[in-house]
Every structure is written in structure tokens, then in C-alpha cells.
Amino acid sequence: MFAKRAIMLLEALKKQMGPVDLQYVGEKKIRALNKSENGLGTKVIHWMSKEMQRWAEPFGILDSAGNIQSKTSITPAKDHSQSHDAAIMTKRDCRTVFIQIAQQTRLRSIFLKNDQTRMRTDLVPKVLKQSSFLSTAWEDRPSWWNNVRGESNSSCQDDVDLLAAILDYGYGGFDSMLDGDYSFVSKLSKAPEEDTKAFTRAAVQCRINHLTRELHALDDSEEMMNLVKKKQAKRKSGEVEVPSANGPTKKKKSGGIQSGLKAFFQKTAPVPAKKQKTPPTSPEPAQDDSDVEIIAVKKRKC
């Protein structure tokens, strides 16, 4: 029951926060949208909307048009006598809260799909090289961030640890996170005082949003490629999907092999015409005049 009402409360936040722009057309527009939503972009928010739709379906909280029903309270007064309004949120407040929830949900889904070894050796290094990531700079980045033992060469361990730490503690446990066993925590303890003061929740959230946005783009591309490979494998095996009356698709072997383009331009040999046999019920064909003998008969007078 709590999960059901939590989804309806999230839907209420989404409705109150206003529209989401998904028109990624043109280089300038793409850069602008990547910087929007505190650096998270709008694609992650769109992903969250589709994920909520998937959550809501088993609970039966979709209306006749397929939209999620919304509620602004988890425990209404009729269910709990001590229930009362906890906060009055503006449109901006709703957007800020929904962005944080979308970011944490998307990041957790990526970590559940990939272990930290792949995150450290494959995914995060790719993100750090993306031009779209480099175009959204981290203004409060400490000078020692991702540096290995203070040398000029750098890795991505601080970024991987930061993503794992924010999933472990959340933004509400930020102060407790700074006491954890993470690479950036040990460096922060030895950093100058100005670096310590600049390492705030807001500064960290900006970096996390940038990383989550690009990790989402990589994961989305991988999902698309896997889908294409599956379709190609089915095509090679001769299986095609035919929609059934009950909804799910049934696999069916294709009937024949498609002819190549060359086959349409080849000349075919003329087929000799067969002699037609006269059906037994048809009248006998007329004979030629050359085979008929004409006999003259004279009439006699009586």
C-alpha cells in the first residue's frame, strides 16, 4: 500500500513541476538541455516518467487513458487521525525534489546492472572523454580530484567512489558520507580549508548529475545495440514475430528465402506452348477442305 501511494505522490510532483523539453535538435539546443535541470538534462527525467509507468501498472493505478493517478498525501486524514500537511511546495520545489529522485533512481539502476569493476575500468572512463560531458564543466572541482597520489596523471576512482557513496548515504546523509572510507574523503582531509568549505552538497550534486546524465546515454545506447543484435539474430535464424490475438507475439519460421536483386534482372527462357487436347465432350474439329471428296448427284424425273 505504501509503494502504491508513493508512486501516486511522485506523479503529483511530476504534474506540478511543469513540462519537460525533449527536443534535442541542433548543437546549441543540445548543449542547453544538457546544462538544464542542474546539469542532469531532461532525458533522465523522461526515463523516470516511463519507469513510473511501469511501476504503476501492476498496482492498477492507471486511469482509462493510461495515465498514473496522483495523490498529494500518503496518509490522508481519514486513514490516520494525526495526519497533517507536512509541506507546501512550489513548482520549483517539486522540480528540485523530482530531479533528485530521478537521478538517484537512474544511477542505482545502472549500478545494479554493472559491477564497480566495469564502472571503474570501462563506463566512467568513457564518460570522462565524452565531448558532451566536457562541455558541462564542474566549476567547484577540487584541484586534486581524480589525481593519483598527487601526480599529474589521473584516474576516475574519486568519481566512482562519489557515485557509490551518494547511493549509500543519499544527500540527507552527506555529513556521514564524509566520514566513510572513500578515496576522495582521505584526500579531502589533507586538502586546504578552502577546498573543504567548497565541497558542499550543491557542488557535489552538480558533478553527480553530470556523470549520471552521461552514464544514462551510454546505457541507452547499449540497450539499443543489444535490441538490434537480437533482431538480426532472429532474422538470420529465419524467425519472425507475428502478433497473436491475445497480445504476445508468436515466433514463426519464415516460409522462403528472399531473392537477391540480381534475380529480378535475369532473362528467363521462353516456355514452349503445350498442345491442347480436345476434351471428350467437345464437338469434333472441322476438317480441312483438302481431305473432303465432293460427289455430284443428279436428280431423276419421276
Side-chain angles (χ1 to χ4, degrees), residues 21 23-42 132 135-136 210 213:
D21 189 356
Q23 300 297 324
Y24 278 74
V25 180
E27 189 176 349
K28 290 184 179 179
K29 185 69 178 294
I30 291 173
R31 283 202 301 265
L33 289 178
N34 284 339
K35 293 178 181 178
S36 65
E37 316 300 350
N38 198 17
L40 184 64
T42 57
S132 54
S135 64
T136 50
H210 293 170
R213 182 193 71 226

PDB file of all heavy atoms in Angstrom, residues 21 23-42 132 135-136 210 213:
ATOM      1  N   ASP A  21      11.243  19.509 -21.673  1.00  0.00           N
ATOM      2  CA  ASP A  21      11.611  19.694 -23.073  1.00  0.00           C
ATOM      3  C   ASP A  21      12.498  18.529 -23.522  1.00  0.00           C
ATOM      4  O   ASP A  21      13.557  18.285 -22.946  1.00  0.00           O
ATOM      5  CB  ASP A  21      12.361  21.026 -23.245  1.00  0.00           C
ATOM      6  CG  ASP A  21      12.578  21.381 -24.709  1.00  0.00           C
ATOM      7  OD1 ASP A  21      12.224  20.566 -25.583  1.00  0.00           O
ATOM      8  OD2 ASP A  21      13.104  22.482 -24.983  1.00  0.00           O
ATOM      9  N   GLN A  23      13.171  18.099 -27.029  1.00  0.00           N
ATOM     10  CA  GLN A  23      13.530  18.387 -28.423  1.00  0.00           C
ATOM     11  C   GLN A  23      15.037  18.612 -28.550  1.00  0.00           C
ATOM     12  O   GLN A  23      15.520  19.738 -28.567  1.00  0.00           O
ATOM     13  CB  GLN A  23      12.753  19.612 -28.919  1.00  0.00           C
ATOM     14  CG  GLN A  23      11.250  19.444 -28.882  1.00  0.00           C
ATOM     15  CD  GLN A  23      10.779  18.341 -29.810  1.00  0.00           C
ATOM     16  OE1 GLN A  23      11.325  18.150 -30.890  1.00  0.00           O
ATOM     17  NE2 GLN A  23       9.758  17.622 -29.386  1.00  0.00           N
ATOM     18  N   TYR A  24      15.791  17.507 -28.615  1.00  0.00           N
ATOM     19  CA  TYR A  24      17.252  17.591 -28.755  1.00  0.00           C
ATOM     20  C   TYR A  24      17.597  17.777 -30.237  1.00  0.00           C
ATOM     21  O   TYR A  24      18.027  16.848 -30.925  1.00  0.00           O
ATOM     22  CB  TYR A  24      17.904  16.331 -28.218  1.00  0.00           C
ATOM     23  CG  TYR A  24      18.073  16.318 -26.712  1.00  0.00           C
ATOM     24  CD1 TYR A  24      16.982  16.122 -25.873  1.00  0.00           C
ATOM     25  CD2 TYR A  24      19.317  16.509 -26.122  1.00  0.00           C
ATOM     26  CE1 TYR A  24      17.131  16.119 -24.494  1.00  0.00           C
ATOM     27  CE2 TYR A  24      19.478  16.505 -24.749  1.00  0.00           C
ATOM     28  CZ  TYR A  24      18.384  16.305 -23.944  1.00  0.00           C
ATOM     29  OH  TYR A  24      18.524  16.302 -22.578  1.00  0.00           O
ATOM     30  N   VAL A  25      17.401  18.986 -30.723  1.00  0.00           N
ATOM     31  CA  VAL A  25      17.633  19.291 -32.137  1.00  0.00           C
ATOM     32  C   VAL A  25      18.595  20.479 -32.223  1.00  0.00           C
ATOM     33  O   VAL A  25      18.331  21.533 -31.655  1.00  0.00           O
ATOM     34  CB  VAL A  25      16.311  19.627 -32.864  1.00  0.00           C
ATOM     35  CG1 VAL A  25      16.586  19.933 -34.323  1.00  0.00           C
ATOM     36  CG2 VAL A  25      15.306  18.491 -32.724  1.00  0.00           C
ATOM     37  N   GLY A  26      19.707  20.269 -32.922  1.00  0.00           N
ATOM     38  CA  GLY A  26      20.681  21.346 -33.072  1.00  0.00           C
ATOM     39  C   GLY A  26      21.710  21.321 -31.945  1.00  0.00           C
ATOM     40  O   GLY A  26      21.408  20.978 -30.804  1.00  0.00           O
ATOM     41  N   GLU A  27      22.933  21.695 -32.293  1.00  0.00           N
ATOM     42  CA  GLU A  27      24.030  21.631 -31.327  1.00  0.00           C
ATOM     43  C   GLU A  27      23.812  22.566 -30.138  1.00  0.00           C
ATOM     44  O   GLU A  27      24.041  22.199 -28.983  1.00  0.00           O
ATOM     45  CB  GLU A  27      25.346  21.976 -32.038  1.00  0.00           C
ATOM     46  CG  GLU A  27      26.582  21.737 -31.181  1.00  0.00           C
ATOM     47  CD  GLU A  27      27.870  21.993 -31.942  1.00  0.00           C
ATOM     48  OE1 GLU A  27      27.809  22.141 -33.179  1.00  0.00           O
ATOM     49  OE2 GLU A  27      28.929  22.055 -31.296  1.00  0.00           O
ATOM     50  N   LYS A  28      23.355  23.779 -30.407  1.00  0.00           N
ATOM     51  CA  LYS A  28      23.136  24.743 -29.333  1.00  0.00           C
ATOM     52  C   LYS A  28      22.035  24.277 -28.390  1.00  0.00           C
ATOM     53  O   LYS A  28      22.146  24.406 -27.169  1.00  0.00           O
ATOM     54  CB  LYS A  28      22.787  26.111 -29.917  1.00  0.00           C
ATOM     55  CG  LYS A  28      23.950  26.804 -30.604  1.00  0.00           C
ATOM     56  CD  LYS A  28      23.552  28.202 -31.083  1.00  0.00           C
ATOM     57  CE  LYS A  28      24.732  28.895 -31.743  1.00  0.00           C
ATOM     58  NZ  LYS A  28      24.352  30.262 -32.231  1.00  0.00           N
ATOM     59  N   LYS A  29      20.964  23.717 -28.963  1.00  0.00           N
ATOM     60  CA  LYS A  29      19.851  23.248 -28.145  1.00  0.00           C
ATOM     61  C   LYS A  29      20.276  22.071 -27.285  1.00  0.00           C
ATOM     62  O   LYS A  29      19.877  21.956 -26.117  1.00  0.00           O
ATOM     63  CB  LYS A  29      18.689  22.852 -29.048  1.00  0.00           C
ATOM     64  CG  LYS A  29      17.419  22.454 -28.317  1.00  0.00           C
ATOM     65  CD  LYS A  29      16.772  23.628 -27.636  1.00  0.00           C
ATOM     66  CE  LYS A  29      15.471  23.246 -26.943  1.00  0.00           C
ATOM     67  NZ  LYS A  29      14.425  22.829 -27.904  1.00  0.00           N
ATOM     68  N   ILE A  30      21.098  21.181 -27.836  1.00  0.00           N
ATOM     69  CA  ILE A  30      21.565  20.018 -27.085  1.00  0.00           C
ATOM     70  C   ILE A  30      22.416  20.457 -25.902  1.00  0.00           C
ATOM     71  O   ILE A  30      22.261  19.950 -24.779  1.00  0.00           O
ATOM     72  CB  ILE A  30      22.353  19.064 -28.001  1.00  0.00           C
ATOM     73  CG1 ILE A  30      21.416  18.413 -29.022  1.00  0.00           C
ATOM     74  CG2 ILE A  30      23.062  17.984 -27.192  1.00  0.00           C
ATOM     75  CD1 ILE A  30      22.117  17.588 -30.071  1.00  0.00           C
ATOM     76  N   ARG A  31      23.314  21.409 -26.133  1.00  0.00           N
ATOM     77  CA  ARG A  31      24.152  21.918 -25.040  1.00  0.00           C
ATOM     78  C   ARG A  31      23.299  22.564 -23.957  1.00  0.00           C
ATOM     79  O   ARG A  31      23.549  22.386 -22.756  1.00  0.00           O
ATOM     80  CB  ARG A  31      25.184  22.912 -25.564  1.00  0.00           C
ATOM     81  CG  ARG A  31      26.377  22.279 -26.266  1.00  0.00           C
ATOM     82  CD  ARG A  31      27.568  23.214 -26.290  1.00  0.00           C
ATOM     83  NE  ARG A  31      27.250  24.466 -26.957  1.00  0.00           N
ATOM     84  CZ  ARG A  31      27.501  24.723 -28.252  1.00  0.00           C
ATOM     85  NH1 ARG A  31      28.070  23.789 -28.989  1.00  0.00           N
ATOM     86  NH2 ARG A  31      27.193  25.878 -28.786  1.00  0.00           N
ATOM     87  N   ALA A  32      22.288  23.293 -24.372  1.00  0.00           N
ATOM     88  CA  ALA A  32      21.421  23.973 -23.409  1.00  0.00           C
ATOM     89  C   ALA A  32      20.631  22.965 -22.575  1.00  0.00           C
ATOM     90  O   ALA A  32      20.496  23.127 -21.355  1.00  0.00           O
ATOM     91  CB  ALA A  32      20.478  24.923 -24.131  1.00  0.00           C
ATOM     92  N   LEU A  33      20.116  21.915 -23.224  1.00  0.00           N
ATOM     93  CA  LEU A  33      19.342  20.916 -22.492  1.00  0.00           C
ATOM     94  C   LEU A  33      20.219  20.077 -21.572  1.00  0.00           C
ATOM     95  O   LEU A  33      19.772  19.623 -20.513  1.00  0.00           O
ATOM     96  CB  LEU A  33      18.587  20.018 -23.463  1.00  0.00           C
ATOM     97  CG  LEU A  33      17.405  20.669 -24.187  1.00  0.00           C
ATOM     98  CD1 LEU A  33      16.763  19.691 -25.158  1.00  0.00           C
ATOM     99  CD2 LEU A  33      16.362  21.172 -23.208  1.00  0.00           C
ATOM    100  N   ASN A  34      21.470  19.831 -21.967  1.00  0.00           N
ATOM    101  CA  ASN A  34      22.388  19.098 -21.099  1.00  0.00           C
ATOM    102  C   ASN A  34      22.699  19.879 -19.821  1.00  0.00           C
ATOM    103  O   ASN A  34      22.922  19.286 -18.758  1.00  0.00           O
ATOM    104  CB  ASN A  34      23.688  18.787 -21.835  1.00  0.00           C
ATOM    105  CG  ASN A  34      23.539  17.636 -22.823  1.00  0.00           C
ATOM    106  OD1 ASN A  34      22.620  16.832 -22.708  1.00  0.00           O
ATOM    107  ND2 ASN A  34      24.422  17.568 -23.793  1.00  0.00           N
ATOM    108  N   LYS A  35      22.724  21.186 -19.930  1.00  0.00           N
ATOM    109  CA  LYS A  35      23.000  22.018 -18.757  1.00  0.00           C
ATOM    110  C   LYS A  35      21.750  22.263 -17.916  1.00  0.00           C
ATOM    111  O   LYS A  35      21.858  22.732 -16.779  1.00  0.00           O
ATOM    112  CB  LYS A  35      23.582  23.359 -19.206  1.00  0.00           C
ATOM    113  CG  LYS A  35      24.972  23.250 -19.829  1.00  0.00           C
ATOM    114  CD  LYS A  35      25.477  24.606 -20.301  1.00  0.00           C
ATOM    115  CE  LYS A  35      26.853  24.489 -20.947  1.00  0.00           C
ATOM    116  NZ  LYS A  35      27.335  25.805 -21.449  1.00  0.00           N
ATOM    117  N   SER A  36      20.587  21.958 -18.469  1.00  0.00           N
ATOM    118  CA  SER A  36      19.341  22.213 -17.744  1.00  0.00           C
ATOM    119  C   SER A  36      19.148  21.197 -16.624  1.00  0.00           C
ATOM    120  O   SER A  36      19.859  20.191 -16.544  1.00  0.00           O
ATOM    121  CB  SER A  36      18.151  22.161 -18.706  1.00  0.00           C
ATOM    122  OG  SER A  36      17.995  20.854 -19.225  1.00  0.00           O
ATOM    123  N   GLU A  37      18.167  21.459 -15.781  1.00  0.00           N
ATOM    124  CA  GLU A  37      17.844  20.592 -14.647  1.00  0.00           C
ATOM    125  C   GLU A  37      19.070  20.348 -13.764  1.00  0.00           C
ATOM    126  O   GLU A  37      19.366  19.230 -13.356  1.00  0.00           O
ATOM    127  CB  GLU A  37      17.257  19.251 -15.120  1.00  0.00           C
ATOM    128  CG  GLU A  37      16.227  19.340 -16.218  1.00  0.00           C
ATOM    129  CD  GLU A  37      14.993  20.162 -15.828  1.00  0.00           C
ATOM    130  OE1 GLU A  37      14.846  20.506 -14.644  1.00  0.00           O
ATOM    131  OE2 GLU A  37      14.191  20.462 -16.721  1.00  0.00           O
ATOM    132  N   ASN A  38      19.803  21.413 -13.493  1.00  0.00           N
ATOM    133  CA  ASN A  38      21.010  21.353 -12.643  1.00  0.00           C
ATOM    134  C   ASN A  38      22.050  20.383 -13.211  1.00  0.00           C
ATOM    135  O   ASN A  38      22.766  19.702 -12.476  1.00  0.00           O
ATOM    136  CB  ASN A  38      20.645  20.953 -11.211  1.00  0.00           C
ATOM    137  CG  ASN A  38      21.743  21.301 -10.214  1.00  0.00           C
ATOM    138  OD1 ASN A  38      22.636  22.098 -10.499  1.00  0.00           O
ATOM    139  ND2 ASN A  38      21.690  20.706  -9.040  1.00  0.00           N
ATOM    140  N   GLY A  39      22.147  20.337 -14.530  1.00  0.00           N
ATOM    141  CA  GLY A  39      23.145  19.500 -15.188  1.00  0.00           C
ATOM    142  C   GLY A  39      22.708  18.067 -15.434  1.00  0.00           C
ATOM    143  O   GLY A  39      23.459  17.293 -16.040  1.00  0.00           O
ATOM    144  N   LEU A  40      21.519  17.688 -15.003  1.00  0.00           N
ATOM    145  CA  LEU A  40      21.053  16.317 -15.217  1.00  0.00           C
ATOM    146  C   LEU A  40      20.500  16.123 -16.621  1.00  0.00           C
ATOM    147  O   LEU A  40      20.500  15.005 -17.150  1.00  0.00           O
ATOM    148  CB  LEU A  40      19.988  15.954 -14.179  1.00  0.00           C
ATOM    149  CG  LEU A  40      19.468  14.521 -14.195  1.00  0.00           C
ATOM    150  CD1 LEU A  40      20.585  13.530 -13.850  1.00  0.00           C
ATOM    151  CD2 LEU A  40      18.309  14.343 -13.220  1.00  0.00           C
ATOM    152  N   GLY A  41      20.048  17.199 -17.263  1.00  0.00           N
ATOM    153  CA  GLY A  41      19.406  17.068 -18.565  1.00  0.00           C
ATOM    154  C   GLY A  41      17.977  16.584 -18.424  1.00  0.00           C
ATOM    155  O   GLY A  41      17.512  16.269 -17.325  1.00  0.00           O
ATOM    156  N   THR A  42      17.284  16.500 -19.536  1.00  0.00           N
ATOM    157  CA  THR A  42      15.867  16.113 -19.494  1.00  0.00           C
ATOM    158  C   THR A  42      15.619  14.651 -19.854  1.00  0.00           C
ATOM    159  O   THR A  42      14.534  14.136 -19.603  1.00  0.00           O
ATOM    160  CB  THR A  42      15.058  17.008 -20.452  1.00  0.00           C
ATOM    161  OG1 THR A  42      15.603  16.895 -21.775  1.00  0.00           O
ATOM    162  CG2 THR A  42      15.113  18.459 -20.014  1.00  0.00           C
ATOM    163  N   SER A 132      30.233  15.848 -24.747  1.00  0.00           N
ATOM    164  CA  SER A 132      29.065  16.409 -24.067  1.00  0.00           C
ATOM    165  C   SER A 132      29.311  16.549 -22.573  1.00  0.00           C
ATOM    166  O   SER A 132      28.761  17.451 -21.930  1.00  0.00           O
ATOM    167  CB  SER A 132      27.842  15.517 -24.316  1.00  0.00           C
ATOM    168  OG  SER A 132      28.108  14.184 -23.948  1.00  0.00           O
ATOM    169  N   SER A 135      31.764  19.584 -22.027  1.00  0.00           N
ATOM    170  CA  SER A 135      31.149  20.902 -22.256  1.00  0.00           C
ATOM    171  C   SER A 135      30.411  21.423 -21.029  1.00  0.00           C
ATOM    172  O   SER A 135      30.091  22.610 -20.962  1.00  0.00           O
ATOM    173  CB  SER A 135      30.180  20.831 -23.440  1.00  0.00           C
ATOM    174  OG  SER A 135      29.100  19.954 -23.157  1.00  0.00           O
ATOM    175  N   THR A 136      30.129  20.548 -20.055  1.00  0.00           N
ATOM    176  CA  THR A 136      29.480  20.982 -18.812  1.00  0.00           C
ATOM    177  C   THR A 136      30.496  20.860 -17.690  1.00  0.00           C
ATOM    178  O   THR A 136      30.576  19.848 -17.001  1.00  0.00           O
ATOM    179  CB  THR A 136      28.246  20.122 -18.505  1.00  0.00           C
ATOM    180  OG1 THR A 136      28.616  18.735 -18.594  1.00  0.00           O
ATOM    181  CG2 THR A 136      27.130  20.392 -19.496  1.00  0.00           C
ATOM    182  N   HIS A 210      26.008  15.412 -13.712  1.00  0.00           N
ATOM    183  CA  HIS A 210      26.721  15.309 -14.993  1.00  0.00           C
ATOM    184  C   HIS A 210      27.089  13.858 -15.304  1.00  0.00           C
ATOM    185  O   HIS A 210      26.905  13.387 -16.434  1.00  0.00           O
ATOM    186  CB  HIS A 210      27.996  16.155 -14.948  1.00  0.00           C
ATOM    187  CG  HIS A 210      27.738  17.624 -14.865  1.00  0.00           C
ATOM    188  ND1 HIS A 210      28.733  18.547 -14.608  1.00  0.00           N
ATOM    189  CD2 HIS A 210      26.602  18.347 -14.989  1.00  0.00           C
ATOM    190  CE1 HIS A 210      28.215  19.767 -14.583  1.00  0.00           C
ATOM    191  NE2 HIS A 210      26.927  19.662 -14.813  1.00  0.00           N
ATOM    192  N   ARG A 213      23.935  11.746 -16.120  1.00  0.00           N
ATOM    193  CA  ARG A 213      23.410  12.066 -17.454  1.00  0.00           C
ATOM    194  C   ARG A 213      24.159  11.300 -18.536  1.00  0.00           C
ATOM    195  O   ARG A 213      23.555  10.708 -19.441  1.00  0.00           O
ATOM    196  CB  ARG A 213      23.539  13.571 -17.693  1.00  0.00           C
ATOM    197  CG  ARG A 213      22.982  14.047 -19.028  1.00  0.00           C
ATOM    198  CD  ARG A 213      23.429  15.473 -19.310  1.00  0.00           C
ATOM    199  NE  ARG A 213      24.836  15.556 -19.608  1.00  0.00           N
ATOM    200  CZ  ARG A 213      25.672  16.460 -19.081  1.00  0.00           C
ATOM    201  NH1 ARG A 213      25.237  17.352 -18.209  1.00  0.00           N
ATOM    202  NH2 ARG A 213      26.950  16.469 -19.418  1.00  0.00           N
TER     203      ARG A 213
END
